[in-house]
Amino acid sequence: MAAMKASTFGAAMAAPRSRAPTAKPATSLLRPLLPVRPLSPFFFSETATKGKAIGFLQTPFRQVDKCCRNLYSRIYSFKLCDLPFGLQIRVGNSVCESSAPKEKNIRSAMETDLNDYTVIKEGEAEILMHKKNQVFFNKAQVNNRDMSIAVLRAFISKCKQEHEAMLSKRARSSGKVVEKKASEIPKEETPTEDGEDNGKSNGEDGVPAQDGPKEAAKTVYEPPRRELKPPRVLEALSASGLRALRYAREVEGIGQVVALDNDPASVEACQRNIKFNGLMSSSKVESHLTDARVHMLSHPKEFDVVDLDPYGAPSIFLDSAVQSVADGGLLMCTATDMAVLCGANGEVCYSKYGSYPLKGKYCHEMALRILLASIESHANRYKRYIVPVLSVQMDFYVRVFVRVYTSASAMKNTPLKLSYVYQCIGCDSFHLQSVGRSLTKNNSVRYQAGVGPVVPQDCTHCGKKYNMGGPIWSAPMHDQEWVTSILNGVKSMRDRYPAYEKICAVLTTISEAKTLLQTLKELPDVPLFVSLHSLSATLKCTSPSAALFRSAVINAKYRVSGSHVNPLGIKTDAPMEIIWDIMRCWVKNHPVKAQSPEHPGSVILSKEPSHQADFARHVGSLSKAQVKKIARFLPNPEKHWGPKIRAGRQITSKHVSLIGHDAVNGHLSCQKEAAAEEEEQQEDIIEGEPDLKRQKKTENIASTS
């Protein structure tokens, strides 16, 4: 290897990520052997990688070994390929070819392959997508991928901090042990002033101790320093492999990235894209054709990060995913079946996630909490539990980031983190009922069932019945320290996030800065929220502004904040009685038309408010982001920004709502052209069959003669 590094060829391969052209040294090295001419870069479907030069020596393998043994010995470690048309050498950033490889017309074949693909660039990764929708890809998921990269960077930084803290703690504890052991050494065993040890040895091997007692103790009890290994990442459902490639190319300090898929076309596309992104991606990313559930079950606690981003529900992967994550590792999970999670099909949600959803303005946050409760339930079966880091609802899906730990004692706190939800069918008032409770006596903790019910049979506000849903995750679903760290990291690397505006807006809403008197970051300990439009619709009145309503809540000595899920959502720890009293006071100043006496709004307004609301503008009713007019809820960047068609399905006119008229017409025209080409090929085959028969007859006659 020393000779290789000293050579020009080895220097060209030493920095695979360098953008500088490195083909000149290798070309000058090959020029004495045969003429080499450069070509414009194009895609080699099987034998080459984008960003690497290919040199073809038009000579047999043994002659290369014979005439330039030194060159061969240096290049061999870079995986030469003995091809039918010559020797393949990966050397730089351009594509080189021998003067005239006669056995195969390589260039025409490669250009034909390239015409069937579209190059898509996102971040620092580029992929080749086939025009026939063979592998799933959704441009709208750039927000998802950018958010995952930001969290992954924060996770690696956090792991380094935890590792350093653990080493310093061990060093302090080992230092105490060293001092204690040194003080316990008998005086008669200490060496004399002239270095003699009075005939006694210190150690099992009988070697006499020549140093002082403290130095000898240090050599015995000082623990070795363990280096932190780069985290291993598993992408369970890789499809085109874009996410895995972005992890490998953009996240510093990442280790091996394993991309799995159960579809042969997806694995083939992923391997093609790995080669297309160069040597560094090939060394870090590996793709396998296997069932992700089987792979995760056969590799328990081996991956520091597991990423689940399925097409639809992730429920069938959760059981194996929580077993595959290492202790303290990160599990990233996406759910796109929002119709199920938001209450359109409650029985389906219960069968998949073990919780019953409710229809309400807070349904998207409830979807997040149902997913967290389901992950916690699967983890508890293996004496594990989760700690949510970040939970977001973006576009048409929910995405959660949780750390998984193993502890049989900490797992007992799970019933304290889950709650049932009672929602009134008339006024949409909701109340939470904890699944369990804990009793502390002396130094012991006992866990018992929750005390209930927290609501009567009929709603105290409008007299209607309640629907019950859940259980949902009622503990905090964000770690504010993590959110702040992620947001600062995103702002410091703005140019490296294609969806910077979107993810920055979401993180800013979750963790807004402090105002003078009130913190308006999203309250972590308040599950769900109320909607101003829903409250006003129940009373048939005009809606107060968010600033006035927040001021009334703050003046009533309660906390209040916004929600990243809904721009009109208001999180508060004020009870529903205070909320309706504020709305009653608002209606007194803004009268409404009389409604039916049985209407829920009429029943609520028929009662006098027990609390007089103060709508004086409070300084804490607006956050710094609102004062500076920072956008927090951005519109979609383009039309049809949403879910896409499952890979492999034929695109028809009914998919206009998903991809638009232009895309549908383009796909239909491509399908017609492909069908016409297939018909022409079949006609050529049919016309050529008589010629083949005649050729066989002539061959048979010649053989008999």
Side-chain angles (χ1 to χ4, degrees):
M1 292 298 294
M4 187 186 302
K5 291 181 180 179
S7 66
T8 307
F9 190 84
M13 294 301 296
R17 293 196 63 177
S18 176
R19 295 296 181 184
T22 56
K24 289 184 178 180
T27 306
S28 60
L29 197 64
L30 300 176
R31 189 173 289 114
L33 300 177
L34 77 164
V36 177
R37 58 183 179 86
L39 294 175
S40 60
F42 52 84
F43 173 60
F44 287 84
S45 58
E46 296 180 357
T47 62
T49 58
K50 183 180 180 301
K52 299 298 164 190
I54 308 300
F56 293 100
L57 296 181
Q58 192 63 21
T59 179
F61 188 84
R62 59 180 180 275
Q63 291 184 10
V64 175
D65 187 20
K66 194 172 184 180
C67 67
C68 52
R69 184 179 300 274
N70 190 20
L71 173 64
Y72 163 70
S73 62
R74 292 177 182 173
I75 301 175
Y76 184 72
S77 60
F78 294 105
K79 298 181 181 179
L80 296 178
C81 297
D82 186 14
L83 302 175
F85 49 82
L87 185 65
Q88 174 186 341
I89 309 172
R90 301 182 180 184
V91 290
N93 289 335
S94 64
V95 178
C96 300
E97 181 185 55
S98 61
S99 300
K102 299 178 181 179
E103 295 187 18
K104 287 189 178 181
N105 190 358
I106 304 167
R107 185 175 181 183
S108 62
M110 301 312 170
E111 288 177 349
T112 303
D113 290 343
L114 183 58
N115 292 332
D116 295 335
Y117 295 91
T118 302
V119 179
I120 298 175
K121 179 176 175 59
E122 184 180 293
E124 297 182 13
E126 293 181 348
I127 61 172
L128 291 163
M129 288 301 300
H130 203 278
K131 296 179 180 179
K132 294 183 179 180
N133 192 36
Q134 292 179 343
V135 180
F136 181 77
F137 169 75
N138 191 356
K139 183 180 178 180
Q141 290 284 54
V142 61
N143 301 331
N144 189 322
R145 289 183 283 268
D146 274 8
M147 185 70 77
S148 302
I149 290 173
V151 175
L152 192 53
R153 283 174 175 153
F155 172 72
I156 293 176
S157 177
K158 189 73 173 179
C159 288
K160 291 180 180 178
Q161 296 176 6
E162 294 174 352
H163 184 69
E164 292 297 331
M166 181 191 66
L167 291 179
S168 61
K169 183 178 179 181
R170 288 185 178 180
R172 289 194 299 268
S173 61
S174 63
K176 294 179 181 179
V177 173
V178 168
E179 294 177 359
K180 183 177 179 181
K181 294 294 182 180
S183 61
E184 292 177 356
I185 298 178
K187 293 183 178 180
E188 60 271 10
E189 295 184 5
T190 58
T192 58
E193 294 180 359
D194 55 355
E196 297 180 357
D197 59 346
N198 297 329
K200 295 188 178 182
S201 62
N202 184 19
E204 296 180 357
D205 54 355
V207 179
Q210 297 180 358
D211 300 328
K214 292 185 179 181
E215 295 181 1
K218 284 183 180 180
T219 57
V220 174
Y221 295 103
E222 186 175 0
R225 182 182 178 87
R226 295 183 180 179
E227 296 295 334
L228 182 63
K229 296 181 180 180
R232 294 188 67 202
V233 181
L234 173 68
E235 189 190 3
L237 304 148
S238 60
S240 64
L242 176 58
R243 187 185 298 267
L245 290 170
R246 289 197 64 187
Y247 288 167
R249 296 182 65 88
E250 300 182 31
V251 181
E252 297 79 6
I254 200 170
Q256 196 73 16
V257 182
V258 181
L260 308 178
D261 209 292
N262 203 21
D263 179 29
S266 298
V267 175
E268 181 182 356
C270 184
Q271 293 175 352
R272 182 193 310 119
N273 292 326
I274 291 172
K275 296 178 181 179
F276 190 69
N277 280 266
L279 185 61
M280 190 200 69
S281 300
S282 300
S283 61
K284 280 192 173 183
V285 185
E286 58 184 52
S287 178
H288 301 285
L289 176 62
T290 182
D291 192 331
R293 294 168 294 182
V294 176
H295 190 88
M296 289 188 288
L297 286 174
S298 58
H299 297 79
K301 297 184 179 181
E302 287 192 12
F303 296 98
D304 302 288
V305 181
V306 174
D307 193 336
L308 295 177
D309 187 15
Y311 190 97
S315 54
I316 60 175
F317 302 99
L318 294 179
D319 194 79
S320 53
V322 295
Q323 299 180 64
S324 182
V325 184
D327 196 33
L330 183 68
L331 173 61
M332 305 186 287
C333 182
T334 303
T336 59
D337 54 336
M338 297 302 293
V340 172
L341 286 167
C342 291
N345 304 99
E347 67 283 358
V348 178
C349 182
Y350 186 81
S351 65
K352 290 184 176 181
Y353 299 98
S355 297
Y356 209 95
L358 297 174
K359 292 183 179 180
K361 294 295 183 180
Y362 51 73
C363 62
H364 293 94
E365 182 178 335
M366 191 173 187
L368 277 170
R369 296 184 179 276
I370 287 175
L371 180 58
L372 289 172
S374 180
I375 298 174
E376 175 79 356
S377 175
H378 285 281
N380 288 164
R381 300 166 192 173
Y382 308 100
K383 298 182 180 180
R384 314 192 82 182
Y385 67 98
I386 65 171
V387 176
V389 169
L390 178 65
S391 306
V392 296
Q393 186 272 327
M394 294 191 301
D395 298 330
F396 53 91
Y397 56 88
V398 291
R399 177 82 162 166
V400 297
F401 304 86
V402 300
R403 299 191 71 178
V404 182
Y405 296 94
T406 303
S407 175
S409 58
M411 182 195 64
K412 298 178 181 179
N413 292 320
T414 295
L416 309 179
K417 307 173 188 176
L418 304 178
S419 298
Y420 292 100
V421 183
Y422 292 92
Q423 178 183 326
C424 176
I425 62 176
C427 62
D428 287 342
S429 300
F430 64 90
H431 305 270
L432 271 68
Q433 167 70 61
S434 179
V435 173
R437 59 192 176 99
S438 62
L439 299 176
T440 304
K441 186 176 182 180
N442 297 330
N443 294 329
S444 62
V445 180
R446 296 178 58 190
Y447 297 91
Q448 296 182 357
V451 177
V454 294
V455 294
Q457 189 72 19
D458 299 327
C459 178
T460 57
H461 306 294
C462 67
K464 301 295 182 179
K465 300 294 183 180
Y466 283 100
N467 284 334
M468 188 180 74
I472 65 170
W473 180 270
S474 55
M477 61 180 186
H478 309 297
D479 188 323
Q480 293 298 333
E481 181 182 353
W482 273 73
V483 175
T484 304
S485 175
I486 295 168
L487 182 58
N488 294 335
V490 169
K491 290 182 177 179
S492 64
M493 307 175 71
R494 176 171 184 167
D495 297 337
R496 302 188 64 180
Y497 292 98
Y500 168 79
E501 299 293 339
K502 178 66 176 181
I503 64 174
C504 187
V506 173
L507 293 172
T508 301
T509 310
I510 294 174
S511 177
E512 292 191 79
K514 293 183 180 180
T515 57
L516 294 177
L517 298 177
Q518 183 74 16
T519 301
L520 269 181
K521 62 186 178 183
E522 184 172 325
L523 295 177
D525 56 341
V526 178
L528 310 181
F529 57 85
V530 296
S531 173
L532 281 177
H533 281 183
S534 178
L535 297 174
S536 302
T538 301
L539 302 180
K540 305 294 183 181
C541 68
T542 59
S543 175
S545 66
L548 287 178
F549 189 86
R550 287 176 174 177
S551 298
V553 175
I554 295 173
N555 292 330
K557 308 302 180 184
Y558 292 99
R559 296 181 299 155
V560 66
S561 76
S563 172
H564 81 279
V565 174
N566 191 329
L568 295 174
I570 294 179
K571 283 179 170 291
T572 178
D573 57 351
M576 290 303 301
E577 290 80 4
I578 299 296
I579 300 297
W580 286 121
D581 283 344
I582 293 174
M583 294 303 298
R584 290 188 186 102
C585 294
W586 172 260
V587 171
K588 282 187 176 182
N589 298 328
H590 302 80
V592 297
K593 295 181 179 180
Q595 301 291 331
S596 172
E598 298 179 355
H599 189 271
S602 301
V603 176
I604 293 174
L605 293 176
S606 64
K607 302 177 183 179
E608 288 295 324
S610 59
H611 167 77
Q612 294 299 323
D614 181 10
F615 291 99
R617 183 66 64 93
H618 195 279
V619 68
S621 61
L622 295 178
S623 65
K624 286 186 177 180
Q626 291 174 311
V627 172
K628 294 180 180 180
K629 297 183 179 180
I630 299 175
R632 297 172 300 145
F633 297 92
L634 301 177
N636 293 334
E638 59 186 41
K639 292 183 178 180
H640 310 291
W641 189 265
K644 294 297 182 290
I645 306 167
R646 188 185 292 270
R649 289 188 177 178
Q650 187 176 2
I651 297 176
T652 60
S653 58
K654 68 179 182 181
H655 298 122
V656 172
S657 60
L658 293 178
I659 60 178
H661 289 279
D662 296 336
V664 169
N665 294 334
H667 282 285
L668 292 178
S669 61
C670 291
Q671 291 174 6
K672 291 179 180 178
E673 293 177 0
E677 290 179 359
E678 290 180 359
E679 291 179 359
E680 291 179 359
Q681 292 177 359
Q682 291 179 358
E683 291 177 358
D684 294 339
I685 293 172
I686 294 172
E687 291 176 356
E689 285 181 356
D691 297 336
L692 293 175
K693 292 180 180 179
R694 292 173 185 173
Q695 185 178 357
K696 288 181 179 179
K697 289 181 179 180
T698 54
E699 289 178 356
N700 293 332
I701 293 171
S703 61
T704 53
S705 61

